[in-house]
């Protein structure tokens, strides 16, 4: 099973580009980490546990942002498959906060309505935030139901859900937070 | 260590991880630590708010911190994800006056801080607490070989968690040894299990889980021990699918560290916790 070989394969960036700094500026303005110190040592990607399914390696994402390959980055699987495990950020010798950069890229992709390469993962975030909007807390059964409504995958995990219910892991009645009025206004809807 | 702590269970401990909540409360009682649940706490935003809206991912935990500041006690957060997000938010609020102003506007509360946020590891790393655990063992876990699995957010990033041993933590290993059990050495203590991706890409998560499970078995472990409801839930509920998809035959109970402490300290009703596990730990516990 240890075939981590396909890493960084499928969507290799073009080999010749005319650098365009506007995307880098947009990312930095959106609060996404200072990435210019990166010297492409690839330590981030070496320790990343998700490279086996990523199309761009984390160090390639950085390079793409630097040279302005906005489409390639925002349409990549990588920005959604990153599990926010913080290994890259912890290990980067230049203090680049790669995990935070991934967050910023997701936010830009959502704001600009880029069709997500990983709709099932975006649906998780959408369902999660909808739960917070509704009650201020997340009820796992409702979370899964919302996810199913969005992905229309009715059969997945049904047996598991039943098993969890049988063991009393799923409660029936959700509880709301009293101080939740602000959430209606503040929590964004994710399409 | 304060003997009275504010307690933030978070959504998981009120739901699928109710055995973590129950065993944590039970252990604190055995250790003479009183927990006062934070009144009207809200979700910390966990693995989603930060992917969608940076500011919101700070405001959500910040409200809980402000509530804890009113209660004026250290804030104990046993969920690794809630702990991580709350620590990130606390640092952001300290650094950024703009966010503090936003907080007042959006939440309609005054932000106060000065709260020490403690994870399960912080609690267990206290030498006095470890001593009390050791002294309170009634039923040593002799013969129980476990791999302690720390995952991501209890230790990373160290500039947020303050963890010194973030690549190879030992806190739970020491507790297991204090309980009379054996913590096997292994190299995957802080590798990610992919918890946040489980609804969207269970196949990918299966690969991550499989790596952890096979390595734990190779290291000689008969079970894993965690201090994170996402790790425990993920490994407990998804290992069957992972094993099936990849042609393996592991089946390891996944304990919360609090369950093992409670068991060894002679808590009268650990049965109620075991019932919530998909991989039933009772056959294994029957052998020790
Ligand atoms: S570890 Fe840091 S410096 Fe090295 S490639 Fe990654 S981001 Fe660049
Ligand atoms: S935070 Fe994301 S990119 Fe960084 S190591 Fe973890 S999964 Fe890979």
């Amino acid at each position: 099973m240890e075939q981590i070989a396909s890493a960084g394969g499928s969507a290799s960036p073009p080999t010749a580009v005319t650098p365009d700094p506007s995307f880098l500026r947009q990312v930095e303005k959106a609060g996404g980490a200072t990435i210019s110190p990166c010297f492409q040592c690839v330590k981030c990607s070496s320790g990343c546990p998700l490279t086996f399914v990523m199309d761009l390696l984390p160090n390639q994402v950085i390079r793409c942002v630097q040279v302005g390959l906005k489409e390639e980055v925002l349409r990549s699987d990588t920005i959604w498959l990153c599990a926010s495990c913080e290994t890259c950020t912890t290990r980067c010798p230049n203090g680049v906060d790669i995990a935070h950069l991934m967050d910023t890229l997701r936010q830009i992709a959502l704001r600009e309505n880029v069709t997500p390469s990983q709709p099932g993962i975006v649906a998780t975030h959408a369902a999660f935030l909808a739960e917070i909007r509704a009650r201020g807390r997340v009820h796992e059964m409702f979370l899964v139901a919302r996810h199913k409504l969005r992905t229309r995958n009715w059969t997945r995990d049904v047996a598991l859900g039943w098993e969890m219910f049988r063991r009393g892991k799923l409660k029936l009645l959700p509880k709301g937070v009293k101080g939740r009025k602000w959430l209606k206004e503040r929590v964004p809807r994710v399409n | 260590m304060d003997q009275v702590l504010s307690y933030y269970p978070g959504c998981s401990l009120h739901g699928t991880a109710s055995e973590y909540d129950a065993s944590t409360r039970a252990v604190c009682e055995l250790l003479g630590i009183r927990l006062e649940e934070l009144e009207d706490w809200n979700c910390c935003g966990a693995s989603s708010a930060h992917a969608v809206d940076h500011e919101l991912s700070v405001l959500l935990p910040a409200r809980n911190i402000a509530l804890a500041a009113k209660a004026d006690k250290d804030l104990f957060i046993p969920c690794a994800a809630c702990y991580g997000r709350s620590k990130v938010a606390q640092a952001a609020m300290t650094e950024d006056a703009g966010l503090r102003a936003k907080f007042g506007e959006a939440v309609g509360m005054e932000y106060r801080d000065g709260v020490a946020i403690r994870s399960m590891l912080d609690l267990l790393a206290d030498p006095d607490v470890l001593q009390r655990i050791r002294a309170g063992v009634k039923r040593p876990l002799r013969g129980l070989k476990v791999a302690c699995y720390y995952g991501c957010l209890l230790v990373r990033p160290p500039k947020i968690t303050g963890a010194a041993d973030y690549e190879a933590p030992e806190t739970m290993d020491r507790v297991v040894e204090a309980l009379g059990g054996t913590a096997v050495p292994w190299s995957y203590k802080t590798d990610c299990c992919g918890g946040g991706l489980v609804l969207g890409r269970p196949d990918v998560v299966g690969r991550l889980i499989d790596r952890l499970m096979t390595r734990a078995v190779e290291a000689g472990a008969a079970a894993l021990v965690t201090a994170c409801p996402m790790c425990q839930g993920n490994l407990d509920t998804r290992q069957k699918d992972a094993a099936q998809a990849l042609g393996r035959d592991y089946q390891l109970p996944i304990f919360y560290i609090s369950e093992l402490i409670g068991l060894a300290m002679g808590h009268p009703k650990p049965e109620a916790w075991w019932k919530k596990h998909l991989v039933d730990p009772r056959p294994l516990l029957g052998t020790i």
Side-chain angles (χ1 to χ4, degrees):
Chain A
M1 130 95 212
E2 288 297 296
Q3 32 159 289
I4 307 228
S6 64
S10 47
S12 25
T15 46
V17 291
T18 315
D20 169 9
S22 61
F23 185 41
L24 175 61
R25 270 191 233 116
Q26 182 187 7
V27 169
E28 282 176 346
K29 204 161 154 245
T34 310
I35 60 173
S36 38
C38 170
F39 54 25
Q40 289 293 318
C41 70
V42 197
K43 195 173 181 186
C44 49
S45 303
S46 308
C48 172
L50 271 305
T51 50
F52 70 97
V53 278
M54 285 176 169
D55 47 1
L56 291 174
L57 296 174
N59 68 294
Q60 291 175 323
V61 169
I62 302 227
R63 199 75 192 112
C64 287
V65 173
Q66 286 172 335
V67 299
L69 292 170
K70 182 171 176 176
E71 284 266 304
E72 281 80 351
V73 169
L74 297 186
R75 286 175 189 280
S76 71
D77 294 320
T78 298
I79 60 169
W80 298 111
L81 287 170
C82 159
S84 305
C85 77
E86 302 276 352
T87 306
C88 50
T89 297
T90 299
R91 293 183 183 167
C92 173
N94 289 326
V96 177
D97 192 343
I98 305 123
H100 186 66
L101 171 71
M102 295 292 183
D103 275 341
T104 305
L105 295 170
R106 293 169 184 140
Q107 288 156 24
I108 294 176
L110 289 175
R111 216 176 304 132
E112 302 196 356
N113 284 315
V114 178
T115 310
S117 60
Q118 295 290 325
I121 292 171
V122 176
T124 307
H125 299 318
F128 209 100
L129 288 193
E131 277 294 281
I132 297 178
R133 271 179 70 87
R135 279 184 299 282
R137 290 186 192 171
V138 173
H139 184 280
E140 288 130 328
M141 210 153 69
F142 284 65
L143 177 72
V144 172
R146 285 183 199 272
H147 190 264
K148 286 198 171 300
L149 281 170
R150 286 176 170 273
T151 55
R152 314 206 146 264
N153 188 334
W154 308 111
T155 50
R156 183 191 274 171
D157 294 337
V158 169
L160 175 61
W162 171 243
E163 187 70 4
M164 290 173 75
F165 180 70
R166 226 170 46 86
R167 283 172 208 257
K169 286 183 89 70
L170 297 172
K171 285 192 185 150
L172 280 181
L173 289 176
K175 226 180 134 186
V177 176
K178 275 182 257 140
R180 65 175 183 239
K181 235 174 65 201
W182 68 283
L183 296 168
K184 285 257 174 309
E185 280 156 43
R186 186 56 193 78
V187 181
R189 286 176 204 277
V190 179
N191 292 318
Chain B
M1 168 71 53
D2 279 327
Q3 298 303 297
V4 185
L5 300 172
S6 284
Y7 180 63
Y8 177 83
C11 305
S12 297
L13 274 73
H14 265 216
T16 50
S18 58
E19 71 272 37
Y20 190 27
D21 183 52
S23 56
T24 297
R25 289 176 193 268
V27 162
C28 284
E29 203 180 313
L30 288 166
L31 293 172
I33 299 168
R34 203 167 81 222
L35 301 180
E36 291 179 353
E37 184 165 333
L38 208 58
E39 199 164 326
D40 208 39
W41 56 266
N42 57 256
C43 171
C44 73
S47 41
S48 284
H50 67 85
V52 175
D53 185 330
H54 171 69
E55 190 186 290
L56 179 70
S57 77
V58 174
L59 297 180
L60 286 166
R63 179 174 173 275
N64 297 322
I65 294 170
L67 291 174
K70 258 195 227 157
D72 199 22
K73 295 182 189 69
D74 288 3
L75 178 59
F76 174 37
I77 308 186
C79 168
C82 301
Y83 164 77
R85 293 321 310 175
S86 302
K87 289 282 277 190
V88 168
Q90 189 175 41
M93 290 292 276
T94 305
E95 270 162 31
D96 189 340
L99 279 170
R100 289 198 295 275
K102 279 272 167 58
F103 181 85
E105 262 167 54
V107 187
M109 251 173 91
E110 195 198 338
Y111 183 73
R112 297 214 340 245
D113 193 349
V115 177
I117 299 177
R118 294 171 186 277
S119 69
M120 183 60 94
L121 292 191
D122 294 334
L123 195 81
L124 298 177
D126 184 318
D128 181 44
V129 168
L130 188 61
Q131 185 43 41
R132 272 184 274 167
I133 292 174
R134 192 173 281 120
V137 172
K138 296 210 169 73
R139 189 194 164 204
L141 306 181
R142 226 157 266 135
L144 184 66
K145 286 174 87 177
V146 298
C148 293
Y149 174 55
Y150 297 78
C152 305
L153 299 171
L154 283 170
V155 290
R156 280 193 302 268
K159 66 172 191 277
I160 293 294
T161 64
D165 51 359
Y166 51 86
E167 294 282 2
E170 290 287 332
T171 306
M172 287 198 285
D173 297 61
R174 278 196 285 270
V175 171
V176 168
E177 301 283 342
L179 300 175
T182 306
V184 302
W186 69 316
S187 306
Y188 290 77
K189 285 180 168 179
T190 58
D191 276 41
C192 179
C193 75
L197 303 176
V198 79
L199 289 178
R201 287 297 301 269
D203 56 327
V204 171
V205 171
R207 299 273 301 268
L208 297 175
I209 290 175
D210 181 65
R211 188 154 50 186
L212 295 169
M213 299 299 288
T214 46
R215 294 305 190 232
V217 171
E218 273 172 19
L224 278 86
V225 185
T226 71
C228 171
M230 303 215 344
C231 298
Q232 196 279 346
N234 206 13
L235 293 169
D236 184 36
T237 64
R238 302 276 166 177
Q239 60 170 285
K240 193 168 150 199
D241 283 355
Q244 235 159 39
L246 297 152
R248 321 268 193 208
D249 59 1
Y250 45 70
Q251 206 189 359
L252 302 188
I254 315 294
F255 290 106
Y256 287 109
I257 185 70
S258 47
E259 292 177 320
L260 289 186
I261 302 171
L263 175 68
M265 289 182 76
H267 181 72
K269 288 201 183 103
E271 283 291 306
W273 310 334
W274 311 144
K275 276 191 213 147
K276 307 256 165 172
H277 290 236
L278 265 71
V279 179
D280 191 339
R282 283 170 287 196
L284 172 66
L285 294 176
T287 66
I288 64 165

